[in-house]
Amino acid sequence: MKEKLPQGERPEVKIVGNAPKDLKEGLRKIYATLFGEGHFTDLPEALYIRVQEKEIQKEQLDRDIIRACNDLTNEVLERNGSQPFDIPERNIHILSSEFYHQVHPTIGKVPAATLMERQAIIIDDETRKKLIEYASSILHEVFHLKGYFAEESSNTGTDKNEYTQIKYRVGLMISSLSKKDARLGRVHIKNFIGLNEAVVSIFESTHLQELLERINSPDRNTEDFLLEINNDDSYLPQIKVFRIIVESIAEAQEMTEEEVINLFYKAHNDGHILHVAKLIEKTFGKGSFRFIGTMDKGEKSAGRVMDYLQKQRRLRYKKE
């Protein structure tokens, strides 16, 4: 069992690409700083002051929820052999609703978001009015931020001294390498976005009741809320696909569904997806893992993947 990292430290961010070693090492140090005492201090002074003005001060309940989310996620990381570590309170920002949407205008209606490149979680203050939704949102984003993270730094243009940084791996999401994109003349591709959100959403709904018990919430009746998010979740189509994947693997490989889900949690946290890929290919056939990777956050792609998996499952039953 791996020991928890000291407060203010996270597993080292891996840097890939053709950038020189000293540049890669510099980027690793930057991310270590962003996660530690230097969090947000690299922002332009005017923006840093504005963030401080618009950030809502945390109260005891906020701190209790963050601590419980850290403890609960760390227990899962430890159980799966991944590196446990805490998300510092300073990396979680409760912002006024107006400023929240200014900071990240593409967020839409989601109550919270993880900014991986800033090692930060931002939360809409409006969410605090609904304790269960608020706690659930923090749990969701803490698990996201504890996901595997790797960045690419590559030179793709005519200027040999110019290097582009992109998020290469975030949890289960895998991005195409910009160097290869440039060589093939193709647009940038991100795979497993939908699967990544589905896995985190399942973690959230599965552990919400326990989270509320740990913070001594006076409102522990999560049945109505769970029914609501299970039927009106932004990622409901992706969750349905993930459930088919889990059920089919468990049945075909003689595993429990909990064992299968834990393998996906582990892959999300430590980045080792080969075992999961092999199980999917054994269950649904060659090329199925790659096809599942095409599922994004949209309903159409999830429907397409669902149709494919159901077809592959029927073919397997005929062979048996």
Side-chain angles (χ1 to χ4, degrees):
M1 184 178 293
K2 296 180 180 179
E3 292 186 6
K4 188 171 77 172
L5 291 174
Q7 187 68 23
E9 292 186 18
R10 64 155 294 141
E12 186 176 80
V13 175
K14 185 175 182 179
I15 310 295
V16 302
N18 62 9
K21 288 183 179 180
D22 59 340
L23 178 55
K24 289 181 177 179
E25 182 58 31
L27 289 170
R28 279 190 285 270
K29 289 181 178 178
I30 287 173
Y31 277 112
T33 300
L34 288 175
F35 197 79
E37 294 289 346
H39 180 68
F40 267 22
T41 57
D42 64 317
L43 292 175
E45 185 177 2
L47 179 57
Y48 181 65
I49 292 173
R50 186 160 169 73
V51 169
Q52 289 183 313
E53 290 175 345
K54 297 295 183 179
E55 183 166 1
I56 310 300
Q57 293 300 309
K58 297 179 184 71
E59 298 177 0
Q60 188 59 50
L61 179 59
D62 304 306
R63 291 190 288 271
D64 289 344
I65 293 172
I66 293 170
R67 184 183 67 253
C69 286
N70 271 319
D71 290 345
L72 203 158
T73 51
N74 278 337
E75 288 168 17
V76 174
L77 266 62
E78 288 176 0
R79 188 163 61 244
N80 293 329
S82 300
Q83 178 69 66
F85 64 103
D86 285 343
I87 307 298
E89 281 185 21
R90 61 173 170 267
N91 290 55
I92 300 175
H93 305 269
I94 307 167
L95 305 176
S96 66
S97 188
E98 181 183 0
F99 188 60
Y100 170 80
H101 291 282
Q102 289 176 4
V103 169
H104 207 304
T106 61
I107 283 177
K109 295 182 179 180
V110 297
T114 296
L115 309 180
M116 209 70 181
E117 68 280 6
R118 301 226 62 87
Q119 293 294 283
I121 292 170
I122 57 174
I123 306 166
D124 187 342
D125 182 42
E126 282 293 310
T127 310
R128 295 170 88 204
K129 296 176 181 179
K130 301 176 181 179
L131 176 61
I132 297 178
E133 181 180 359
Y134 177 57
S136 184
S137 298
I138 294 178
L139 181 62
H140 183 103
E141 302 307 331
V142 165
F143 198 62
H144 261 312
L145 193 50
K146 291 191 180 185
Y148 182 73
F149 183 37
E151 185 171 84
E152 180 199 3
S153 180
S154 292
N155 174 265
T156 59
T158 55
D159 187 345
K160 294 182 179 180
N161 296 315
E162 185 176 325
Y163 292 87
T164 302
Q165 279 78 49
I166 64 166
K167 290 179 284 187
Y168 172 52
R169 296 280 307 277
V170 178
L172 292 168
M173 189 280 288
I174 305 175
S175 173
S176 59
L177 292 169
S178 58
K179 187 72 175 178
K180 188 174 183 180
D181 291 339
R183 187 176 72 249
L184 297 177
R186 70 183 183 190
V187 296
H188 189 58
I189 301 170
K190 292 182 179 180
N191 296 303
F192 299 102
I193 295 175
L195 182 63
N196 190 56
E197 288 295 349
V199 170
V200 175
S201 295
I202 287 294
F203 177 87
E204 171 194 358
S205 60
T206 301
H207 294 86
L208 177 58
Q209 182 69 46
E210 184 177 356
L211 172 64
L212 294 174
E213 291 172 358
R214 292 188 182 202
I215 62 174
N216 294 317
S217 168
D219 184 4
R220 296 181 186 175
N221 183 12
T222 61
E223 290 184 9
D224 291 341
F225 179 72
L226 286 174
L227 182 63
E228 178 183 333
I229 64 173
N230 285 335
N231 289 285
D232 192 32
D233 192 285
S234 300
Y235 305 117
L236 180 59
Q238 289 73 20
I239 291 170
K240 287 181 177 179
V241 169
F242 181 54
R243 290 195 184 281
I244 286 290
I245 293 172
V246 171
E247 291 169 8
S248 300
I249 291 176
E251 179 184 348
Q253 309 305 324
E254 297 182 347
M255 302 170 65
T256 67
E257 291 186 11
E258 184 178 4
E259 287 173 335
V260 177
I261 290 173
N262 279 326
L263 288 175
F264 279 90
Y265 289 165
K266 179 175 172 58
H268 170 272
N269 292 114
D270 64 20
H272 300 310
I273 62 173
L274 185 58
H275 187 45
V276 164
K278 287 181 176 179
L279 284 174
I280 288 175
E281 298 269 312
K282 280 183 181 180
T283 304
F284 296 102
K286 187 176 180 180
S288 55
F289 182 65
R290 184 183 294 272
F291 194 82
I292 289 169
T294 65
M295 182 173 66
D296 55 26
K297 296 180 181 181
E299 189 172 348
K300 287 184 178 180
S301 69
R304 185 174 63 249
V305 172
M306 176 67 87
D307 290 342
Y308 168 82
L309 294 178
Q310 289 176 333
K311 178 184 176 182
Q312 293 301 106
R313 194 159 71 161
R314 286 194 297 269
L315 290 173
R316 179 169 61 82
Y317 287 151
K318 285 183 179 181
K319 290 179 182 179
E320 294 175 351

